[in-house]
Amino acid sequence: MADLQSQNYIRRSASTLTPPSVRDHEQEVAKLIDVSRCIGCKACQAACMEWNNLRDEIGHFEGSYDNPADLSPSTWTLMRFAEWENDKGDLEWLIRKDGCMHCEDPGCLKACPAPGAIVQYANGIVDFISENCIGCGYCVKGCPFDIPRISQVDHKSYKCTLCSDRVAVGLEPACVKACPTGAIMFGTKADMKTWAEERVVDLKSRGFSNAGLYDPSGVGGTHVMYVLHHADKPSIYAGLPDNPRISILVDLWKGIVKPLALAGIAFTAVTAFFHWIVAGPNEVQPEDEANAQRLLRKTDDSR
Amino acid sequence: MTQPKGTLTRNTTAARINHWITGGCFILLLFSGLAMFHPMLFFLAELFGGGQWTRAIHPWIGTVLMLSYAGLIVQFWRDNLLNRDDINWMKAIDSVLANKEEGVPEVARFNAGQKFVFWSMAFLVPVMFITGLVIWDVYFSAYTTIEQQRIAVLIHSLAAIAAIIVWIIHVYAAIWVRGSMRAMTQGYVTPGWAWRHHRKWLRRLAATGSTGPRPRADRGPAPR
Ligand code: HEM
Ligand code: SF4
């Protein structure tokens, strides 16, 4: 992908210079997943496999409708099924399409040590540039949503690209195209928010008083958003984080520790150098040798 | 190794080999680790054949360092046990730093500064090794939670920074105190070197008729 000569980066991992960004007259995009309209048919999962030429290994039945059981280097999106008992004692079947959220402030990119292995385009999409990926797994630690997966075969990290290749030429992501109920929408982030508002009003009128949009501010908002009937309890949707944010541990590790470390190392080295300039080498003097010889003779005699 | 007559063995051949395996590993870990630590230093990855190789080889070198440092611990721990001499020596650190060693309290085989390096590394190397295993993604990522890995990676980088600082002090001391580099390359020092820097060690060697590195246990007054 790096060959495409992207000039619309707004972020580039492990880079201290401004990345090429002149072609930024672009609107931010978003995918809106309306959980209330999803029927769990997995057409989106199949479309993702189809477009991206991914075929996961056949797994085992794990006691739920989740199939495969988890995201993997070759499963970039996955329907997660949760059974939840509501206040009235009724069972609700909650189905959530899991995958990369394309955070506005991506933890994976922040944690990545390889220059240009993770980038964010002006349209907001977070993409892994695999030829630069070193397979360290730091993105896994940076991500608040447990999304990236490292391949044991080629030691590269993989996740949903939001079909950056399709979006770049004006197409919607494959999953959006495949969804038979219109539960997955794609457009500018502003349009998607407006559309979500309408959906929330509709859901509220049908008794879901806590319906709302999931666009978590802890990561600066996301470019994949959910309409939830119970937006007050995201975690009931198969563990969607209630308040996702980049872990404070990652913030420290990638923030204050770096300059402090370099300063500490430089300070020690410079201090050592100036000690040398001030005190100079500590050399053995002739009288040291003489004293030592005297001692050795004395002990020899006394034995 | 030809050792001139009348000199004292400071470090045995086994100890020297062991030491330089450790030192070599440390330099390789320093370069491969710093490449992943800061973007400005990522160019160091080229020394190892690129980022993928750097990532793959760093933990293996760390494993060798752990084994090798364990060897140093076995060979040096006795002479690094802390005692009252260390407090007295530390009180006179100003004179030591000014190269005025007359009147500085006598120390045995290692002074408090050397002991500080020894014990710091004895703590930091295992810490880096254990946290390193937790973040060794290829083999061990399945055994810990992501939160545990976040803690491990933070501790690993803090311990590495501390170790690098200790290492700079160590290397500088070796350059500063003339004659000690030869102690770790050719293995011997002159009696005058021992008189100047480790007089108690010299006295014990002399009292037991040993030429180093340790006093003879079967002769003369036993070391305190
Ligand atoms: C590569 C650069 C290094 C240089 C130039 C160097 C130099 C030296 C020298 C000259 C000595 C002898 C001091 C004496 O006999 O009084 C020594 C001892 C020693 N070194 Fe190094 N060293 C290096 C790296 C390391 C590393 C990376 C470690 C540990 C991780 C280490 C651990 C030790 C230990 C344990 C001793 C024994 C003395 C003691 O216990 O204080 N060295 N080194
Ligand atoms: S969800 Fe995870 S992998 Fe996706 S952009 Fe956010 S931090 Fe990166």
Side-chain angles (χ1 to χ4, degrees), chain A residues 10 58 96 125 132 138 144 149 268 283 300:
Chain A
I10 50 174
I58 309 292
R96 175 169 68 89
I125 294 180
N132 296 330
Y138 288 4
R149 296 289 185 274
T268 314
E283 287 178 87
D300 259 359

Side-chain angles (χ1 to χ4, degrees), chain B residues 18-87:
Chain B
N18 196 165
H19 174 269
W20 290 112
I21 291 174
T22 308
C25 286
F26 195 92
I27 302 238
L28 294 174
L29 286 162
L30 178 78
F31 288 163
S32 53
L34 285 181
M36 291 183 280
F37 178 74
H38 201 282
M40 302 278 265
L41 300 171
F42 191 79
F43 72 93
L44 292 170
E46 293 309 318
L47 296 173
F48 300 85
Q52 278 273 347
W53 279 112
T54 305
R55 182 269 307 152
I57 208 150
H58 181 87
W60 286 109
I61 305 171
T63 308
V64 177
L65 178 85
M66 181 67 247
L67 294 173
S68 154
Y69 198 73
L72 286 185
I73 293 177
V74 168
Q75 299 188 62
F76 286 109
W77 71 272
R78 272 168 182 284
D79 291 323
N80 278 291
L81 292 177
L82 300 177
N83 57 41
R84 195 165 298 272
D85 294 343
D86 298 320
I87 301 168

